[in-house]
Amino acid sequence: MRVESVRWSEASGWAGELPALDGASTLVLALVGPRVAPERVPVADLDAAYPASVVVGFSTAGVVQGEQVLDDVVLVVAVRFDATRLVLERAPLDRHSSHADGQRLGARLRRHGDDLAGVLVVADGLTVVGNALAEGLVAGTGGSVPLFGGMSAGFPGPDGALPDPWTLLDGRAERGVLLGVGMYGERITFTTGTGSGWADLGPERCVTRSSGATLFEVDGQPALELYRRYLGEEARDLPVSGLRFPLAIRRAGERSSALVRSVRSTDEETNAIGLTGDVPEGSAVQLLHQDSEALADAAETAARTAAAGAGGGAQPGADGTLALVVSCLGRRMALGARTEDELEAVVAGLPGGTPAVGFYTYGELAPTATRPCDLHNETVTVAVLSEWSR
């Protein structure tokens, strides 16, 4: 397994030659910063350099390269595997059919071979119910295959609105797309770690009325009213300020592990909050707030956990290992000028010399202690890809 990368900017062009690693066993990621318009992406160069490779390109809320977050570049990462077969499947994606869309794509990937070892997933960040998609992907792939990835994204403008994300398909920027890259073989290892680091704000409460991803009542009180009471002046900037005050969700029967959900929208008429994933009635919820040091510590823990699960015959830090880092836009907004503290912590948690690349997103997809994949929000997730030596 060999990993090489190069970046492009509109001001300077390519910083070097595109990696000469084209082939059917090569995965090429084109991570597009939020300041790069889709029509400016050098698609023709990618097509010419990688006619036989699996190429996945999409918009982000920030490109991760090592300890840096970059907004005005396209980062191209080429990964040529020695003994791993790749299959790309793509499908339309809609928030009203996210489970079925995920299940169909997962089933198609499973039909390509029983040696499916892992799946890299990229989904449109605004046309999806993330946890429903994750559940569908798990069902389609058979319930035991680890899945990892995130949502295409953008960075909010001055008005606070979330930009429409996009995915490159046949040289064009498209909305409503689900991509899955299946990795097949006995020598690939795919290990993950996740980290939160948010601090509790107020007591744990019970969801008393909800519908899908819409939260109406908590402990019998209107959800939006309760949220405003805790946020004070910050509530004026909802729903954007909600990215800095997410909710911890503990499903009934799974109280030992919490998932984090971001606020996506508010409804004045119904006093409800729209979240990024389903919040079942009977779940426990707790408001969270920022602790910058804890956020960075959690990022290092995520990296160490992922690195500890890798190994086999792969040599840490050599060409045979790659760390994919997917973190939430909400963490970037909360950390602000200290965003790169989180990335420095990730790098510190990896074996020396391990290449680390990734992106900031509207939602993270990664395994949990009880599931092969679930939707995470406001979470940093790290996946370490390695191949066993011969």
Side-chain angles (χ1 to χ4, degrees), residues 40 43 60 64 102 110 142 163 175 201 209-210 243 256 288 299 303 317 350 390:
R40 305 303 299 172
V43 174
T60 75
V64 173
R110 191 180 182 190
R175 294 289 321 280
L201 178 62
R209 188 160 76 93
S210 65
L243 290 170
S256 61
L288 304 173
L350 296 169
R390 299 180 187 276

Side-chain angles (χ1 to χ4, degrees), residues 5-18:
S5 63
V6 66
R7 64 195 195 197
W8 174 94
S9 69
E10 192 164 3
S12 305
W14 292 107
E17 296 293 324
L18 282 162

Side-chain angles (χ1 to χ4, degrees), residues 106-241:
R108 294 210 305 265
L109 287 169
R110 191 180 182 190
R111 285 197 290 269
H112 286 285
D114 293 334
D115 58 343
L116 178 61
V119 180
L120 175 64
V121 181
V122 178
D124 187 300
L126 292 183
T127 61
V128 64
V129 176
N131 65 295
L133 172 64
E135 291 166 4
L137 287 165
V138 169
T141 53
S144 61
V145 177
L147 300 107
F148 181 87
M151 315 298 182
S152 55
F155 196 85
D159 62 354
L162 295 178
D164 288 339
W166 46 268
T167 303
L168 288 175
L169 283 184
D170 302 322
R172 299 188 306 275
E174 300 286 351
R175 294 289 321 280
V177 175
L178 171 63
L179 299 178
V181 180
M183 304 177 191
Y184 302 78
E186 297 180 351
R187 287 172 50 188
I188 182 78
T189 63
F190 190 95
T191 57
T192 62
T194 62
S196 174
W198 295 90
D200 296 341
L201 178 62
E204 187 174 87
R205 301 175 183 271
C206 180
V207 175
T208 48
R209 188 160 76 93
S210 65
S211 177
T214 303
L215 179 60
F216 291 100
E217 291 183 1
V218 178
D219 283 349
Q221 303 175 58
L224 181 56
E225 184 179 304
L226 185 65
Y227 219 94
R228 281 181 169 149
R229 190 155 67 241
Y230 272 98
L231 265 62
E233 291 186 1
E234 294 270 7
R236 292 179 301 184
D237 297 325
L238 282 169
V240 174
S241 61

Side-chain angles (χ1 to χ4, degrees), residues 34-336:
R35 293 181 187 164
V36 179
E39 65 272 13
R40 305 303 299 172
V41 177
V43 174
D45 293 346
L46 296 176
D47 289 344
Y50 303 109
S53 301
V54 172
V55 180
V56 176
F58 53 95
S59 64
T60 75
V63 173
V64 173
Q65 186 176 28
E67 298 177 347
Q68 294 180 292
V69 58
L70 306 165
D71 290 334
D72 57 357
V73 308
V74 177
L75 178 64
V76 173
V77 184
V79 186
R80 185 168 67 190
F81 294 95
D82 296 324
T84 299
R85 184 167 52 92
L86 302 176
V87 174
L88 172 65
E89 289 283 0
R90 58 194 189 189
L93 178 64
D94 185 89
R95 63 180 296 103
H96 301 294
S97 58
S98 295
H99 186 283
D101 296 338
Q103 187 166 3
R104 281 192 292 268
L105 184 133
R108 294 210 305 265
L109 287 169
R110 191 180 182 190
R111 285 197 290 269
H112 286 285
D114 293 334
D115 58 343
L116 178 61
V119 180
L120 175 64
V121 181
V122 178
D124 187 300
L126 292 183
T127 61
V128 64
V129 176
N131 65 295
L133 172 64
E135 291 166 4
L137 287 165
V138 169
T141 53
S144 61
V145 177
L147 300 107
F148 181 87
M151 315 298 182
S152 55
F155 196 85
D159 62 354
L162 295 178
D164 288 339
W166 46 268
T167 303
L168 288 175
L169 283 184
D170 302 322
R172 299 188 306 275
E174 300 286 351
R175 294 289 321 280
V177 175
L178 171 63
L179 299 178
V181 180
M183 304 177 191
Y184 302 78
E186 297 180 351
R187 287 172 50 188
I188 182 78
T189 63
F190 190 95
T191 57
T192 62
T194 62
S196 174
W198 295 90
D200 296 341
L201 178 62
E204 187 174 87
R205 301 175 183 271
C206 180
V207 175
T208 48
R209 188 160 76 93
S210 65
S211 177
T214 303
L215 179 60
F216 291 100
E217 291 183 1
V218 178
D219 283 349
Q221 303 175 58
L224 181 56
E225 184 179 304
L226 185 65
Y227 219 94
R228 281 181 169 149
R229 190 155 67 241
Y230 272 98
L231 265 62
E233 291 186 1
E234 294 270 7
R236 292 179 301 184
D237 297 325
L238 282 169
V240 174
S241 61
L243 290 170
R244 300 192 297 275
F245 296 90
L247 286 174
I249 308 291
R250 292 177 176 85
R251 301 185 181 107
E254 298 182 18
R255 295 297 175 90
S256 61
S257 59
L259 293 170
V260 184
R261 293 286 180 262
S262 302
V263 175
R264 172 178 277 173
S265 61
T266 58
D267 189 323
E268 301 286 342
E269 186 174 337
T270 62
N271 249 326
I273 294 171
L275 301 173
T276 48
D278 288 352
V279 52
E281 291 182 1
S283 298
V285 296
Q286 190 166 25
L287 198 63
L288 304 173
H289 71 105
Q290 174 184 348
D291 180 335
S292 297
E293 296 299 329
L295 291 176
D297 289 345
E300 182 171 349
T301 298
R304 290 192 185 281
T305 301
Q315 297 301 311
D319 284 344
T321 303
L322 172 67
L324 291 174
V325 182
V326 181
S327 190
C328 187
L329 166 64
R331 294 176 73 90
R332 182 177 180 186
M333 294 183 68
L335 287 166

